[in-house]
Each structure stands twice: as C-alpha cells, then as structure tokens.
Amino acid sequence: MNIIKAEQFNLERRIEYGTPEQNDAVHSILAAVRERGDAALREFTEQFDKVRVDDLRVGEEELKAAYAQVDSKFLEALRRAAANIREFHEKQKRVSWFDTAADGTILGQTIKPLGRVGLYVPGGKAAYPSSVLMNAIPAQVAGVREIAMVTPPATAGQAGINPYILVAAAEAGITEIYRVGGAQAIAALAYGTESIRPVDKIVGPGNIYVALAKRYVYGVVDIDSIAGPSEIVVLADDSADAEYVAADLLSQAEHDEMASAILVTTSEPFGRAVAAEVERQLESLPRREIARRSIDERGAILLVDSLEQGVDVINRLAPEHLEIIVPNPFDWLGRIDNAGAVFLGPYSSEPVGDYFAGPNHILPTNGTARFSSPLNVDDFLKKTSVISYSKRALLRDGADIMTLARHEGLEAHARAIEVRLKKEGNEA
Amino acid sequence: MNIIKAEQFNLERRIEYGTPEQNDAVHSILAAVRERGDAALREFTEQFDKVRVDDLRVGEEELKAAYAQVDSKFLEALRRAAANIREFHEKQKRVSWFDTAADGTILGQTIKPLGRVGLYVPGGKAAYPSSVLMNAIPAQVAGVREIAMVTPPATAGQAGINPYILVAAAEAGITEIYRVGGAQAIAALAYGTESIRPVDKIVGPGNIYVALAKRYVYGVVDIDSIAGPSEIVVLADDSADAEYVAADLLSQAEHDEMASAILVTTSEPFGRAVAAEVERQLESLPRREIARRSIDERGAILLVDSLEQGVDVINRLAPEHLEIIVPNPFDWLGRIDNAGAVFLGPYSSEPVGDYFAGPNHILPTNGTARFSSPLNVDDFLKKTSVISYSKRALLRDGADIMTLARHEGLEAHARAIEVRLKKEGNEA
C-alpha cells in the first residue's frame, strides 16, 4: 500500500452506475415482466441463470430439507446472531404520538409498519445468510406482516437454492420465497405477476442490473438504497496494533475488487508497519486475488498531521465502515458527522458488526453516509399526520388560513374555511 | 360528479412519469450543468425562463425590499403558521442513544442532522410561500446548518422573484437563495457549480422536468420524493354537511387538472347532495376551469355498504389527504393503514392542514402513502451505528463470528477475529 499525504488524495470519489446498454437492458426486462408476468420471469431465468424453473415458489419441503444440509455449529451461531440483531433493532421501535390542546384540538402522527416488503437476496458467491437476517429482522421488528423473498436459482444448472440462505430465511421467519433473481425479480416485486403479488418496498443488495432496476421502480415502490462497493476507513495512531489493523483492512478488501480499504494515520512508521502486515497476511488468503486488486487499486494509507485532520478527512470520505483505534476513541465520536457505522477501540473489528453484535451491516456506501443511514426499523415504518381541529380553534384561526390561501390564489381553499365560519356563526 | 359503486372503481391508479423525450432532455441538461457549471445555468435560464440572469444569488437588498411589497396581514398570518409548524416539528426531534452491557460493550446510534440541504421552490402560479415554510422548518428543527434555496426567476421577462416567496424564505431563516429553476437547478444542487456548492439532499416539488432530474440524481444526493398530483378522499356518512364536503373536494380540485377529489360514502342521497353542492360552488370559483376538469375527469363519488368497506377502499387508494366526517371519527383512525394525513371531524377542513395547524403539507401522493410519510424531521436526520465491543465480549463471541464468516467464504473476516483471539490469549 502506498503512503501519501491526505491532502494529495481525492476525497470525492462518487461513482455513478450503469452504461446506457445496461440501462436499456433493464428497461426491456422491466417492460417484459410487466406485460407478460410469470412467462417473462421463466424466460429470463432460463436466459440468465441457465435453469428452467417450473414452480417459482420454494415449497415447504425444500425449506425443511435445507436444515439437513447445514451444520449445527453454523445454525447455533446464526441463532445467536439473530437474537442480537433482534435485540438491537427492538430498541429502535417507535410509537404513535398525539398532542392535545386545551381548545380540544388534537395533532399527532400515527406510526405504522409497511404492509408488504420484498427482500432481494443475491445468488452465487454473494449469497450471504447474514444479509438475510440483516434485511428481514428490522422489517419484522417494525411489524411488517408480509415479507416476500426473491433469490436466483443456484448456478451450475441446478434450480435449487443455497441451503444456508434458506435456513437463514426460515430462522428469520420468512416462508414466502421465490426462485427468481436479477432485474426480472425486481420487476415482479414492483408490478406483480400471476405468482408474485406486488410489494410496498424492496430491500436488499444485488448486481448492477438489480441496482438499476431498483432505481427505475423507485416511486412505484420504495427502495432501500442503491448499494455500492464496500468501504472501510481505519483511523489509528501508533498506539494501535498493526496486525489487527491490517487484518481489518483485508476483511474489507476481500469482498470485491471495487471495495476500498483506507488507513488514516498520524504516524508514518505505523503506516509502514500496516503496509508490511497487509503484504504478509495477503499471501495466505483464499481470496487473495480479489483482495490484492482492491488493495492496489483502491487502498491507501493517508498520513495526517493530527487526529483532528484525520476526522476532517473521514467526514469528507463519509465511509461505510469506520474504525477508530486510538487511546480514547469515544473522545472522537462526537466529531464524526458522516459514517455508516463507527467501530471503537481494538476489539471492535469490523466483522463483529458484519455478523454478530446486533447493529445492521447494511450501511450507506459510496459517500452516501452524508445523507443516509444503516438499514433500521424506521425504514419499514411510515407516518400519517393526524389533525383533529376543534370548532373553537377553527373560529380562531380561520381568518389567517383564508388570508394565506387567498395570497396563493387558491380561493376554493379559502371558501372551504369560509363556508364553515359562516354556518358556525362567526363571519371572521 | 358520478355516483358509482366502489367495486366498479379502479383503485390502483399508479401514474408513471416522463416520456422518453422528457427523459432525454433532462439527461442533457444535467450533463451540461455538470460540465459547464454556471454558464450552462445562465443559458438554460435564458432558454426556458426567457430572462438573462447576471448574479445567480439573490442579494440581501432584494430580500429586504421584498418585505415592503407584502401586506402586513399576510405577514402576520405567515408568522403564526410558521410558529405552529415549528411547534409540531419540534415534537419529532430525536436523540442519539446507547445501550451499555455489563461486559463493557456499548452499542447505539448517533442521530445527527444532514449538513447541507437544497430546497426547490417552483415559480409562476405554483409559487407557494406556505411550501417554503413546510420544507424549510423541518430541516431547521433537525439542525441542518445550511439550506440553499433555488427558484426560477419570475415570468414575464423579469429576473425578480415573487416577494411572497422571498419573505417566506426570510421568515424561515433562509438567506442563501439562487435564481435558477428547472432540471438545471437540480443539477446545480447535486453536482455543484462555481456559484452553488453541492448539497446532501434536495427537497421540494417541481414540474415534470424537476421530478425527473431529482430521480436521476438520487444516489448522488438524497431526495424527498417524486411529487405527483394532489388527492383528497373524504369518508362521510349522512351526518356530514354536504356544503362542507363539497367545498373541501373543490379545494383539492382547484390545484390542478390532474388532482383528484373522491367522496366515499355510505349514503346515496348524501352523495347526490354533495354532487349538487359541487356544481353550485364550482360556478363562482376563479379557478373553475381547472376544478371542472379535475372533478369531471378524476373526481368520483364511491358508494359503499358500510364504513368498514369505506376504510378498505381508502387503504387501497392510499390517499394523500383523507377527511373522516362521521359521528365518531377517532373510532376509525386505527384502521387507516395508508394515508398521508388524516383530518378528523367537520372542523378539520384540509386547508387547516395545508396552511396552519402545524403538520406538514408535503405529503405522499399517487398511492405512495403505502410506503412514505409526510415530510418530517427524520427526513433531515441520519443515523450512524456505534459499536464498542469489549475484550470480554470478543473472546466470548469470536468463535461464532468466525463460524459465520467461514460459511460465507470470507476467510479474511474470520482472520480479523482470529488474530485478536490468538494475541489476547484465547484460541477459541
């Protein structure tokens, strides 16, 4: 890894997605599914996944059979992780609220769960049981009644689905699962087909076609976000352990060649030690080719003069994951404006959050932590304003309301008030 | 208005936006602004708004001069409305939270305001001072430090901006205002130009070009929603006052030919009385041509057998505004799953909420109340997960984390834990 001065690094690397060809492909897939429903789903599945699918829905038998295929150590760990995730998200629950005025007026917000949510789960190498939990549990905690999961039939010409994914779904209480992936699955969730009823919101990561399809259907349904490549920034001084820091950087780099792992440090010797550790640890990684490309092309060690400058660099990068490994990490927490998740101290290695601690691992990528949040219970709730105005309040405020409406040229708005003031005995 | 059985009405009318030509136009405007900045903004303003603009930013002098042009009754009403809006939104404020475990672990969420928000305000006939308050106040209550407002220079060849808009902005504390509108303004806010620094989120309604531009830049920045035409549904039985109900329907219909005003009622005679009242009141409205088209083409009176059926119809329509005018309206509130704002009882006429009561008038349109909410303080806040894992917790949970990582084929994730367990004296 190269060590450079932070000032020389381009902090604004916002990647945009999709070639015109990819956009066109997605548009025609969406149109075909909208028009021809299940038949189009089957055709695209044969074309892209190379399998013929008869029954789109995964049966109960298949779900049960999956349990026989996963080992018990995995299942126990998954259950403990699920309990932690549930506990953390339960704390985010919110309640409807009202405020009553002495004049009889009541104003408030009802807060209710969405009715039906679609969950996209990638297939192949990116099929992560942990992501099933991270997407499904917040929806369930919010009280969403129906969760429909879609996932592409597994590779290698088989229509089956990864049993680890199925078990994770079952553990999260999902029973409605369809074997379909790609932009065609997003179309089915947004518009509905004979087999798949439309949803109110689609969550879950996918490849570029899935991302473009989600952006296209946004408005017909809600979507979570357009997921980008994964990122970690570690802020550390020379009190940190170079071996730990290097291991954490590599845990990000192994995800994907586009992933980026950046160390921000006040110490050049420490930076050199981390660079050496990265080289040493890289050698023995199964995914060393991916990690190597990520480290070489998107990794960096940024030297800063002070931790204050480091925090400024971080706020501009707005990283998905941020580790702060300095003597008193909480001293710096209040200054972090933009980050998806902050991991404090030497024992909060990123995989602790990726798998187990409880906070969500679906985090804003690609600098979007400036304006978005980890997936959370609020993402599955919606609010409705409640206005119960009393007669007394209307008589008091009617004239002001009419003044404002008439200045906007909306006479019928004014008259809706006026007709009441006249009839209720006050001509204002 | 025609009276029809609710069963005969198409409840799923989701409108989609934008012709290919409009999309292409928006793409080239965005690209031009991204490439050529202010120069492109000036060219498009000359082309679309028919005015030449030298200084894009509105000066303090112009802001002050605007106060001399608005009447004091308007200003007083606006200030009272602003105070109510502020009070309602203050109640939505949230705080960061933490949970501490006995093993030393701390988990939580920090909740912070966005740094910089862009506010789009339409020009011409759709220039509504009330919307300036409704967009700006929630952002300020959330604690957003910078709000940049953009609005097209007024029509009729003048570069000036509607003084009512300027006064509303000033009352809401906005001082950074640019005279630019359309897709070019959205591009400036998303990508930045020489004069306008980029923002983190863009809010505010606009025409089809603005809506398409917002959808396109979504991801580079956050956006509020894609605003559609306005809707009202009134649920009433024969205890309601037909004159009030008709007036409320017309207050929606006058907005726009695409607006829809629907009465859902258990009583056919009441429906006929409302239809007659609509005809009578329509005659004398200044915007009767718009209201007439809206009522004829998109209005309806839907007969239901019971209020229960009425509620079911409403949940499927997911209206932006819902009035419930029946003897005990609160009895029905809990059954309303999908609505932007619910107005209860005869004195809660929609304009009360549009202008004055305090809840936001920027509401989910076009059936999106199934998954979205009125504009609110949360829209200007973002969360960051906080994970401070203790050594004890890591030693306890490390084996589970490694099990999960290895089952996902992510060895570097497992090793980031393993390196710590080894060094901290526990080989798990």
Side-chain angles (χ1 to χ4, degrees), chain A residues 16 34 80 94 243-244 251 254 284 334 337 346 348 378 382-383 389 400 413 420 423-424, chain B residues 16 34 80 94 112 243-244 251 254 337 346 348 378 382-383 389 400 413 415 420 423-424:
Chain A
E16 275 191 70
R34 204 170 179 182
R80 283 190 283 267
R94 301 175 70 183
E243 198 181 353
Y244 294 0
S251 78
E254 78 169 339
S284 65
D337 289 328
S348 308
D378 287 342
K382 62 195 156 70
K383 298 154 198 145
Y389 233 50
D400 276 346
H413 282 65
R420 287 167 163 90
K423 204 173 267 184
E424 308 291 340
Chain B
E16 275 191 69
R34 204 171 179 180
R80 283 190 284 266
R94 302 176 69 185
K112 289 201 169 190
E243 199 182 352
Y244 294 0
S251 78
E254 77 169 340
D337 288 329
S348 309
D378 287 343
K382 61 194 157 72
K383 299 154 197 142
Y389 233 50
D400 277 346
H413 283 65
R415 291 195 191 169
R420 287 166 163 91
K423 205 174 265 187
E424 308 291 339

Side-chain angles (χ1 to χ4, degrees), chain B residues 33-336:
Chain B
V33 173
R34 204 171 179 180
E35 214 169 284
R36 298 187 293 110
D38 286 348
L41 293 184
R42 290 203 175 84
E43 285 164 27
F44 289 124
T45 302
E46 197 163 346
Q47 183 181 343
F48 298 123
D49 302 295
K50 312 292 178 208
V51 290
R52 296 189 90 146
V53 166
D54 294 320
D55 205 354
L56 283 163
R57 183 148 177 186
V58 173
E60 260 182 65
E61 294 302 304
E62 193 173 342
L63 218 51
K64 274 185 204 150
Y67 274 88
Q69 296 172 65
V70 306
D71 75 57
S72 62
K73 213 173 128 199
F74 167 82
L75 189 56
E76 283 161 25
L78 189 80
R79 284 179 174 163
R80 283 190 284 266
N84 288 345
I85 297 165
R86 193 164 282 119
E87 189 182 342
F88 185 78
H89 288 81
E90 288 281 353
K91 294 186 179 118
Q92 300 169 23
K93 281 172 85 169
R94 302 176 69 185
V95 290
S96 301
W97 62 270
F98 293 92
D99 195 44
T100 57
D103 67 30
T105 290
I106 295 179
L107 302 175
Q109 282 181 326
T110 63
I111 302 184
K112 289 201 169 190
L114 306 190
R116 180 169 163 84
V117 165
L119 164 52
Y120 189 90
V121 177
K125 280 185 298 179
Y128 297 140
S130 57
S131 289
V132 175
L133 300 184
M134 292 289 185
N135 275 292
I137 291 173
Q140 287 179 324
V141 169
V144 172
R145 282 185 307 275
E146 296 181 15
I147 303 177
M149 180 173 128
V150 293
T151 188
T155 44
Q158 299 217 357
I161 292 169
N162 181 332
Y164 287 88
I165 292 295
L166 290 183
V167 164
E171 287 295 316
I174 298 176
T175 54
E176 186 185 346
I177 305 172
Y178 301 95
R179 45 184 121 249
V180 60
Q184 59 274 23
I186 301 301
L189 291 172
Y191 304 122
T193 69
E194 300 90 323
S195 299
I196 305 178
R197 279 181 306 116
V199 301
D200 299 318
K201 178 165 189 162
I202 300 173
V203 298
N207 66 15
I208 180 68
Y209 296 98
V210 170
L212 291 174
K214 279 168 69 181
R215 183 153 84 174
Y216 192 82
V217 300
Y218 169 62
V220 177
V221 296
D222 195 18
I223 62 172
D224 51 351
S225 61
I226 310 287
S230 205
E231 314 135 17
I232 191 172
V233 172
V234 180
L235 176 69
D237 59 16
D238 58 11
S239 73
D241 184 315
E243 199 182 352
Y244 294 0
V245 170
D248 293 353
L249 294 172
L250 286 169
S251 78
Q252 197 54 238
E254 77 169 340
H255 267 296
D256 172 353
E257 289 100 351
M258 296 280 284
S260 73
I262 294 172
L263 169 64
V264 176
T265 184
T266 47
S267 161
E268 191 167 353
F270 179 74
R272 277 198 300 271
V274 170
E277 266 297 322
V278 164
E279 288 304 313
R280 190 184 67 79
Q281 295 182 26
L282 231 176
E283 284 312 303
S284 65
L285 281 182
R287 294 166 70 93
R288 61 185 162 273
E289 284 173 32
I290 293 170
R292 162 62 64 202
R293 275 197 66 183
S294 160
I295 289 290
D296 287 353
E297 292 174 18
R298 300 183 174 267
I301 296 174
L302 304 183
L303 263 187
V304 287
D305 297 329
S306 62
L307 291 176
E308 282 81 1
Q309 190 198 348
V311 165
D312 181 55
V313 164
I314 284 159
N315 282 330
R316 291 180 62 193
L317 285 169
E320 182 188 9
H321 307 91
L322 169 66
E323 290 184 1
I324 303 181
I325 311 183
V326 298
N328 291 299
F330 271 96
D331 289 358
W332 300 93
L333 179 61
R335 310 192 205 186
I336 303 299

